[in-house]
Amino acid sequence: MMMSEKSNNIQSFLTSKNVNLTISSEILLAYPIMMDGIITNWHIFDIYRTAFEPRGKLMIDVVNKTLGMWGNRLWKFDKRSNLENLTLNVVTVGNPYGTLTKKNGTDIKPSSEELVKYLKTFNLDRLNSVQKFSFAIMDPLTRILLNMTLKIETTNSWGYKVNNKWDGIVGMLMSGEADFSISLNALRSERYDVVDYSAISTWKHLPCFIFRHPRSSTASTNIFLRPFETTVWLSIICVVVLSGFVYCTIMHYESNQTFSPRVLSDIVLLKIGTLCQQGTVMEPTKLSNRLIVLLMFVFSLVTYQFYSSSIVSGLLRPTVMNIDSVQKLEESGLDVGVEDFNVITKVIEVYGEMNPFLKKIIDSKIKPKSEYLLAKDGVKKIKKGHYAFFTDPATSYWLINDIFTEKEKCDLSELALHRPETTGYLVQKNSPYRKLINYANCILWETGLMQRELSIWHAEKPKCTAGKTTTEESLVSVEIKDVASLIAFLIIGFIGSFAILVLEIIIHRHKTHTTAILVKNN
């Protein structure tokens, strides 16, 4: 019997029995070989279809050609990787900046040809890197390894349950509009009941806050008091007061000069000048007073060295705030923004309902300012400093590598809301193609194509190299906020001096006027 006749007979038999086969069916058909009415051999055939009817083709694969020879098939998919140019419906997120985003939605519906061209494009904005990585894997997997043609449909969502109904990719898989996705999805337990995952990927989904280390606000406001502890400051004050008292006593016996506010002010100026490494217009004649002044100069020299070196090191090598929780981020005073990418905004909204500090950040810093930005705009704000941007680092680190200096890269820090999520491709529940896609995916692993595409599309955190060498870039400029307390002290001094001047003028005029009246009356 010819193979075409066998195929027709098998097809008629399957139709009469109402049997609809697919790629995962397991049916072995044995045909006896008769000679003189005696069975001398058997032909065994593996029967399946590349897809459920009316799609696909009926495949009859000869398992053995002679008795006892079962071929070299290890499992059924060894001989089923050729789907005979079968066309399947697949879905991807073709418009991630669409209707579900907050600020930059455009609701564009690209054609299949335009979408394929875009997914193969390596642009400077690095947008949609996860979709492009997904397509870079699924294209050779389906076209070369499985001999399959894809009819691509698009949606604006990865698939979330909204009003007790699944949208996006998950919704299209459940309705049968698509056979599987060509866009990676994070493994979520709530999806396991309605869809299956296939071809688990090395791509890790971990959106997080990225920011430059802010300088400690405590260190900035107390920069001029920080070098010494409170006990040391009290000790210095005591030494200055004691030396002033001794100096005043010796000067009294030296010149028989009575104590007066002028003498007190002269001594105060002398001691402050000595402590600040300045000379004095007062010339002590007694050896005892000269010894006091000399000891004070030595004391101030040592104290000044400790103080100034601590000030310089504190300004040029400042401590940074250790922001390792959402609570510390909320208390840090940093401005906050979110990448305007629907999967990113969804993550921060979900975790905002569970974390009160994150909820406070969203309500007070993000929503009022509509701080939903494209990745390239958010990265520019990170560069300026005092800004935390919630984004996908797999994309944003490409942009950071392009515009950040080495010192700015060393300042980078991350704050994640959850552990890295493993990703995979979604398929229909109990899909016959699930294991076949897994099989082809393992081949891509073994050939190294997976690692190659991952290095192209998934950015890594920039390595800090500026700290290994001393350069001008590694130094930190002193900002106005660092010396604000000193400027405030100086301004208060100016105001106090002017107020005393006005008071002295008033007192002087009052005394002059009183004296003139007394002279006139006399």
Side-chain angles (χ1 to χ4, degrees), residues 500-520:
I500 293 174
L501 173 63
V502 173
L503 182 62
E504 287 178 339
I505 292 174
I506 294 174
I507 294 175
H508 175 73
R509 288 184 176 179
H510 176 72
K511 289 183 177 180
T512 303
H513 181 67
T514 302
T515 303
I517 293 175
L518 291 175
V519 171
K520 183 178 180 180

Side-chain angles (χ1 to χ4, degrees), residues 210-273:
I210 300 178
F211 51 89
R212 293 178 59 191
H213 289 298
R215 298 172 66 173
S216 174
S217 58
T218 303
S220 298
T221 54
N222 298 330
I223 187 67
F224 297 103
L225 299 177
R226 189 184 58 183
F228 298 143
E229 293 184 355
T230 305
T231 53
V232 178
W233 283 114
L234 293 176
S235 300
I236 292 175
I237 294 173
C238 291
V239 169
V240 172
V241 172
L242 179 62
S243 65
F245 175 76
V246 173
Y247 188 91
C248 181
T249 304
I250 296 175
M251 189 177 66
H252 172 72
Y253 287 103
E254 174 185 355
S255 59
N256 292 325
Q257 187 174 9
T258 57
F259 182 81
S260 65
R262 178 178 178 79
V263 174
L264 177 61
S265 63
D266 287 340
I267 294 176
V268 170
L269 289 176
L270 170 64
K271 295 308 173 184
I272 293 178

Side-chain angles (χ1 to χ4, degrees), residues 214-483:
R215 298 172 66 173
S216 174
S217 58
T218 303
S220 298
T221 54
N222 298 330
I223 187 67
F224 297 103
L225 299 177
R226 189 184 58 183
F228 298 143
E229 293 184 355
T230 305
T231 53
V232 178
W233 283 114
L234 293 176
S235 300
I236 292 175
I237 294 173
C238 291
V239 169
V240 172
V241 172
L242 179 62
S243 65
F245 175 76
V246 173
Y247 188 91
C248 181
T249 304
I250 296 175
M251 189 177 66
H252 172 72
Y253 287 103
E254 174 185 355
S255 59
N256 292 325
Q257 187 174 9
T258 57
F259 182 81
S260 65
R262 178 178 178 79
V263 174
L264 177 61
S265 63
D266 287 340
I267 294 176
V268 170
L269 289 176
L270 170 64
K271 295 308 173 184
I272 293 178
T274 303
L275 197 62
C276 297
Q277 297 285 288
Q278 301 298 319
T280 175
V281 295
M282 300 179 67
E283 297 182 1
T285 56
K286 294 291 184 179
L287 179 61
S288 55
N289 257 354
R290 292 188 175 186
L291 180 60
I292 291 295
V293 173
L294 178 62
L295 291 175
M296 280 298 299
F297 272 121
V298 174
F299 172 78
S300 63
L301 174 65
V302 177
T303 304
Y304 182 80
Q305 294 301 318
F306 280 109
Y307 184 81
S308 59
S309 60
S310 178
I311 290 289
V312 172
S313 64
L315 290 174
L316 300 186
R317 300 286 185 222
T319 58
V320 296
M321 298 175 64
N322 183 26
I323 301 177
D324 55 4
S325 66
V326 178
Q327 180 179 355
K328 290 184 179 180
L329 176 63
E330 192 272 327
E331 296 171 350
S332 67
L334 296 181
D335 295 326
V336 181
V338 178
E339 183 180 352
D340 195 10
F341 193 43
N342 54 13
V343 69
I344 306 297
T345 56
K346 188 69 176 182
V347 168
I348 197 170
E349 287 176 358
V350 169
Y351 282 90
E353 297 299 325
M354 298 184 290
N355 190 313
F357 298 103
L358 183 59
K359 178 69 173 176
K360 187 175 181 180
I361 291 175
I362 295 173
D363 293 339
S364 62
K365 297 184 178 182
I366 298 176
K367 288 184 177 179
K369 301 178 181 178
S370 190
E371 201 70 13
Y372 297 94
L373 310 174
L374 298 180
K376 59 182 180 180
D377 298 325
V379 166
K380 291 178 182 178
K381 287 198 171 187
I382 297 176
K383 180 179 174 66
K384 293 180 181 179
H386 201 73
Y387 193 82
F389 189 50
F390 190 73
T391 179
D392 184 359
T395 298
S396 295
Y397 277 143
W398 289 121
L399 305 173
I400 287 174
N401 264 314
D402 292 339
I403 66 174
F404 274 47
T405 64
E406 291 302 317
K407 174 59 179 64
E408 290 168 344
K409 293 176 184 177
C410 292
D411 289 343
L412 289 174
S413 184
E414 295 179 355
L415 176 61
L417 301 180
H418 54 82
R419 294 181 179 180
E421 291 182 308
T422 304
T423 56
Y425 296 94
L426 291 178
V427 298
Q428 290 181 1
K429 195 68 177 177
N430 301 318
S431 170
Y433 303 102
R434 179 172 176 265
K435 290 186 178 180
L436 192 60
I437 293 174
N438 281 337
Y439 169 72
N441 190 66
C442 290
I443 296 178
L444 296 183
W445 261 101
E446 294 172 357
T447 57
L449 180 63
M450 190 83 69
Q451 291 82 344
R452 175 183 176 273
E453 294 297 336
L454 189 67
S455 65
I456 292 175
W457 299 108
H458 195 294
E460 298 294 332
K461 184 178 180 180
K463 295 181 179 179
C464 176
T465 58
K468 298 179 181 179
T469 57
T470 302
T471 62
E472 290 185 5
E473 197 178 52
S474 64
L475 298 177
V476 178
S477 299
V478 178
E479 301 177 1
I480 187 65
K481 65 179 182 179
D482 296 318
V483 295

Side-chain angles (χ1 to χ4, degrees), residues 169-187:
I169 292 177
V170 176
M172 293 182 68
L173 293 176
M174 293 177 63
S175 65
E177 297 177 66
D179 293 287
F180 59 87
S181 74
I182 59 169
S183 181
L184 288 172
N185 286 61
L187 271 65

